[in-house]
Amino acid sequence: MCIYRRLAYNEYMIKELVEENRSAESGFIVLLGMLLLVLGSATWFATLGNTHSNTLSLQKNREAITQLHQIKERMLAYAVLHPELYADATNVPGVGYFPCPDEDGDGDADTNCGRDSAGTDELFVLGMVPYKISSRFFSFLNSDVDNRDYWYAVDSRFVNSSAQYATAISQRYSSLTMQTPRLVANSSGAMVNPMTLDGQSNIIMILFYAGPMLAGQSRPSVAVSDYLEQGTVVAGSTFDFTTAGSGSADFNDYVIKITRREWEAAMLSRVSQDNAPEDAVPDLCVTTLPADIHWFNACKYTGASIPPFTVSPLPSTCVLTTVIAEQNITGQGWRDIICP
């Protein structure tokens, strides 16, 4: 009888242990499930955060690149409208000129450029995109962005405040037309392209979006090397800019250009405009202009020396003369090119 009681008791204890194990297993499963849920949630939120961060970064880059292309359009518009923008000047300048970059970081176009502090003539000028030219009510960059993220290099002959063309008589402009020489003399006297892009010549302007700060850079700054990964520019020498580097860790410039062909097409659309197609003659060819003193006519210069960047023989659009009455320091020579 005692044996049966002992067996019954043991059976009862075994059942209790089994039930306890089942409860423990159930509890463990619940805890394991909760742990997996927490880990899964953390992973999900972390992934969502990274995705959101990457999305914001990509969106910012897209906006910056859009801004850069808008700057290019505004630069070309400024060059086309240049005579109208400066119509109140004593000697109204012609088409095709761009503003000096902002080299000192004040947000405005510099009043003159093209010569460094040592007095060396620069083949091109490199600086930040100015926000606007207030006196002309013309803007290049939206006011809600940092202009230190946007830079450009421009052929020194194509700026409207060139230190190289200040003369004893007056501040004059280089004679810009389709016939303007492609090559210029460097500091050693060799004829070279003012600048190139990935080896491509006939570039008038190169525009840059600097991208986020990389290792070794310090911002804010006015130093080119803190924003662009293009190498060291030497005054008086040509330079080959690049659109790509060895990797994203050491190069993130976004680069676009204005070619000589693009510039010529834009300027020709202006100077060859014909609102009276029945006569088949561009308007500027038949419009009465103030004597010879007009940018559409030939350049005649009476200074003591010939402006830089000329070639031998002298271009027919910019000749020396001793007749003061015929001086036309803003003449570009488009008439001889456009008019029949």
Side-chain angles (χ1 to χ4, degrees), residues 52-71:
H52 184 60
S53 177
N54 291 336
T55 299
L56 290 177
S57 179
L58 290 172
Q59 178 64 24
K60 181 178 180 181
N61 283 336
R62 280 196 294 266
E63 291 174 354
I65 291 169
T66 298
Q67 182 85 226
L68 190 66
H69 284 275
Q70 290 175 348
I71 292 169

Side-chain angles (χ1 to χ4, degrees), residues 45-242:
F45 280 113
T47 303
L48 177 63
N50 288 336
T51 301
H52 184 60
S53 177
N54 291 336
T55 299
L56 290 177
S57 179
L58 290 172
Q59 178 64 24
K60 181 178 180 181
N61 283 336
R62 280 196 294 266
E63 291 174 354
I65 291 169
T66 298
Q67 182 85 226
L68 190 66
H69 284 275
Q70 290 175 348
I71 292 169
K72 174 180 177 177
E73 293 173 1
R74 293 173 186 179
M75 285 289 183
L76 285 170
Y78 176 88
V80 169
L81 297 173
H82 201 257
E84 285 70 34
L85 292 171
Y86 294 88
D88 59 346
T90 302
N91 297 294
V92 178
V95 297
Y97 302 95
F98 299 102
C100 282
D102 170 22
E103 296 185 80
D104 56 14
D106 64 358
D108 299 325
D110 289 356
T111 54
N112 65 76
C113 59
R115 180 173 291 141
D116 74 354
S117 57
T120 304
D121 287 339
E122 300 169 327
L123 304 190
F124 59 88
V125 189
L126 174 61
M128 291 162 279
V129 175
Y131 284 102
K132 60 184 177 180
I133 300 179
S134 301
S135 61
R136 303 300 161 182
F137 305 100
F138 197 97
S139 64
F140 299 96
L141 191 63
N142 293 347
S143 59
D144 60 345
V145 301
D146 190 344
N147 80 314
R148 289 170 294 195
D149 289 335
Y150 300 90
W151 297 69
Y152 69 106
V154 57
D155 186 327
S156 294
R157 296 172 296 174
F158 287 75
V159 297
N160 62 0
S161 297
S162 173
Q164 299 176 33
Y165 287 89
T167 69
I169 294 178
S170 176
Q171 178 79 23
R172 71 174 296 275
Y173 298 81
S174 59
S175 182
L176 298 183
T177 65
M178 297 171 61
Q179 296 176 349
T180 298
R182 262 57 171 175
L183 303 180
V184 299
N186 65 11
S187 56
S188 300
M191 301 304 293
V192 298
N193 289 287
M195 59 184 173
T196 55
L197 179 63
D198 294 333
Q200 180 185 354
S201 58
N202 292 328
I203 305 292
I204 288 176
M205 181 182 290
I206 304 173
L207 302 106
F208 310 87
Y209 165 58
M213 183 170 63
L214 298 179
Q217 295 179 332
S218 177
R219 303 180 184 179
S221 166
V222 295
V224 178
S225 59
D226 283 332
Y227 290 87
L228 304 182
E229 298 80 53
Q230 293 292 332
T232 303
V233 171
V234 178
S237 301
T238 187
F239 190 82
D240 186 29
F241 292 95
T242 182

Side-chain angles (χ1 to χ4, degrees), residues 35-50:
L35 179 60
L36 292 174
L37 180 61
V38 170
L39 292 175
S41 298
T43 302
W44 186 83
F45 280 113
T47 303
L48 177 63
N50 288 336

